[in-house]
């Protein structure tokens, strides 16, 4: 026959067991997120672009030319359905804040046909512009912000190989394999991402030191010391008062270069300096 004290202890043990079981029943992804303590900032909220600034060549800041940047069906979309043809108006959508040390994770795909008369190199072409100048500092007729471009490219089945997460350097240079690299665009070692498939990419940025590109979790390119290019027409304007050419932070933007693009995730994790 159980004593009152023994019954109390038994009930308490059963209760603890139920609580622990409930805690362990959480989805593994949730448990992993809680354990890691990672707090990703959702740059795209799935609803609107109120936290972003639009700048098109030849247009004042804030003018969303032909409603090119829009949100539809929970996707941030670069759309050319309102364009009769390409007219040279390159566009960029800038996030409101600037960052220095971070991981930027994006999921994208190319959709539809390129705008009529769009440049050949811009076919299935977009970019993540990082360490960029501010939207406010761009000239009215400036094509691209001075930045490090993480170039997004897509291929078409049967039309050969074409890497993505390449490096382009509008107004900038980097150190690649220990040497000053002045070539404008450099291919990564990624596989071709064909047709309209979704692609998951990531950029790991350590201020003015190392930048790494990843496609589906695989590192495909890395370089160091992003810096302003003295050959660029905007060099003097953007050079800080201390004369330091190294770029340790800046804006993040996506492009509109004549081909439709969808983004369903744009998120960022701050890293320790």
């Amino acid at each position: 026959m159980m004593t009152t004290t023994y019954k109390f202890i038994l009930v308490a043990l059963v209760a603890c067991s139920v609580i622990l079981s409930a805690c362990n029943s959480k989805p593994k992804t949730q448990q992993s997120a809680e354990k890691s303590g990672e707090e990703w900032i959702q740059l795209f909220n799935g609803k609107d672009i109120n936290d972003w600034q639009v700048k098109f060549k030849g247009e004042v800041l804030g003018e969303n030319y032909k409603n090119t940047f829009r949100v539809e069906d929970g996707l941030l979309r670069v759309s050319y359905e309102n364009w009769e043809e390409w007219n040279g108006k390159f566009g960029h959508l800038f996030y409101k804040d600037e960052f220095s040390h971070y991981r930027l994770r994006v999921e994208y795909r190319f959709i539809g046909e390129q705008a009529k008369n769009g440049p050949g190199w811009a076919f299935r072409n977009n970019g993540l512009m990082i360490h960029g100048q501010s939207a406010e500092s761009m000239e009215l007729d400036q094509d691209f912000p001075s930045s490090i471009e993480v170039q997004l490219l897509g291929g078409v089945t049967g039309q050969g190989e074409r890497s993505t997460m390449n490096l382009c350097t509008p107004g900038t240079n980097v150190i690649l394999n220990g040497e000053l690299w002045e070539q404008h665009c450099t291919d990564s070692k990624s596989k071709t991402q064909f047709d309209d498939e979704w692609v998951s990419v990531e950029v790991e940025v350590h201020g003015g030191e190392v930048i790494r590109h990843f496609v589906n979790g695989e590192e495909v390119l890395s370089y160091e010391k992003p810096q302003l290019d003295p050959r660029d027409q905007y060099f003097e304007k953007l050079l800080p008062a201390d004369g330091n050419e190294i770029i340790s932070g800046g804006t993040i933007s996506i492009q509109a270069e004549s081909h439709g693009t969808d983004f369903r995730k744009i998120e960022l994790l701050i890293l320790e300096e």
Side-chain angles (χ1 to χ4, degrees), residues 13 19 28-29 45 111 151-152 168 175 189 216 260-261 270:
L13 288 173
I19 292 172
K28 290 183 178 180
T29 53
N45 62 16
I111 57 171
Q151 187 186 50
L152 307 177
C168 292
I175 300 297
K189 60 179 182 180
N216 296 325
T261 317
I270 300 293

Side-chain angles (χ1 to χ4, degrees), residues 169-209:
T169 51
T172 58
N173 294 317
V174 301
I175 300 297
L176 182 65
N177 298 325
E179 299 181 1
L180 178 65
W181 197 250
E182 297 180 329
Q183 181 173 308
H184 179 56
C185 286
T186 302
D187 289 348
S188 77
K189 60 179 182 180
S190 81
K191 299 176 182 178
T192 303
Q193 306 300 314
F194 288 107
D195 306 319
D196 296 345
E197 64 186 274
W198 285 102
V199 187
S200 177
V201 299
E202 189 170 317
V203 191
E204 183 179 308
V205 182
H206 297 273
E209 296 300 322

Side-chain angles (χ1 to χ4, degrees), residues 72-86:
E72 295 178 336
D73 301 323
L75 303 175
L76 198 170
R77 179 159 287 171
V78 181
S79 173
Y80 284 90
E81 69 175 8
N82 295 333
W83 294 56
E84 293 183 5
E85 62 179 356
W86 174 251

